[in-house]
Amino acid sequence: MTDHREVAIVRWPGQSPPIGGGLAALLAAYHLRTEAEKGEPVASVDGLPDRYRAEITDPRTAFASDVVLVALLVGTAVGCLVLTSPTNGPSEIKRLWIDPQSRGRGIASALLDAALAHAKENGVDTVRLSVWEWRTGAIALYERLGFTATEPWDERDQLVCMQRAT
């Protein structure tokens, strides 16, 4: 396991190395894998729904009002997480993705810790997320970090909604 001190969590865009391409690659991998897991595989980013392609091609605009955290390991983008700005309620964690070759090193935990700390520092009381029920490893991680299942706010089949206080 990588020591969290070896993983740099940076806010994008910001005072960090240029990571736009690394972020785009992480988002593309996330969306392509998710579509395949839902039984709707697509061959490339061009086959993704418009809203997902927009995140990949122009994340600065797609996440303009959100906080995007990127995990760097030896200067390479290996993970990402989007924390939405709260609108009349909790912030939401989206797009948590770790490059498969970098998994098992505590990177997801480091991103989640940074997101929760950011939310708390900015007066957000509750953070929520949704996760596909077949992503049991992710659900176990969220539970270890104090997230609990809650009433769904998203009615898509097989989606688990979770939240925790900051």
Side-chain angles (χ1 to χ4, degrees):
M1 176 175 274
T2 298
D3 187 323
H4 280 186
R5 292 172 294 186
E6 294 178 28
V7 177
I9 306 297
V10 297
R11 183 174 173 174
W12 182 90
Q15 303 296 326
S16 63
I19 54 175
L23 176 59
L26 292 166
L27 290 167
Y30 170 87
H31 286 301
L32 289 169
R33 175 69 177 263
T34 300
E35 293 302 298
E37 289 175 350
K38 291 190 303 188
E40 303 166 8
V42 294
S44 70
V45 168
D46 293 335
L48 291 170
D50 290 343
R51 68 183 184 279
Y52 298 150
R53 275 198 324 273
E55 290 178 11
I56 296 162
T57 58
D58 189 6
R60 186 180 305 264
T61 300
F63 302 120
S65 62
D66 303 322
V67 173
V68 179
L69 301 175
V70 179
L72 301 175
L73 187 59
V74 193
T76 300
V78 295
C80 63
L81 177 151
V82 175
L83 181 67
T84 65
S85 295
T87 52
N88 300 324
S91 287
E92 189 169 350
I93 291 172
K94 297 179 157 297
R95 310 299 183 256
L96 175 59
W97 182 256
I98 309 303
D99 178 82
Q101 294 179 348
S102 298
R103 291 182 183 166
R105 299 179 179 198
I107 297 168
S109 294
L111 281 165
L112 287 161
D113 288 347
L116 292 166
H118 178 85
K120 185 173 186 167
E121 289 166 8
N122 287 278
V124 176
D125 295 329
T126 304
V127 175
R128 67 184 192 177
L129 57 85
S130 59
V131 57
W132 296 106
E133 67 183 17
W134 59 79
R135 289 189 169 158
T136 56
I139 292 170
L141 170 65
Y142 298 142
E143 288 174 339
R144 278 194 309 274
L145 293 176
F147 285 86
T148 57
T150 188
E151 290 297 315
W153 59 85
D154 186 320
E155 297 299 327
R156 288 180 286 174
D157 191 35
Q158 300 183 41
L159 201 60
V160 177
C161 293
M162 305 179 85
Q163 69 180 24
R164 71 158 270 185
T166 59

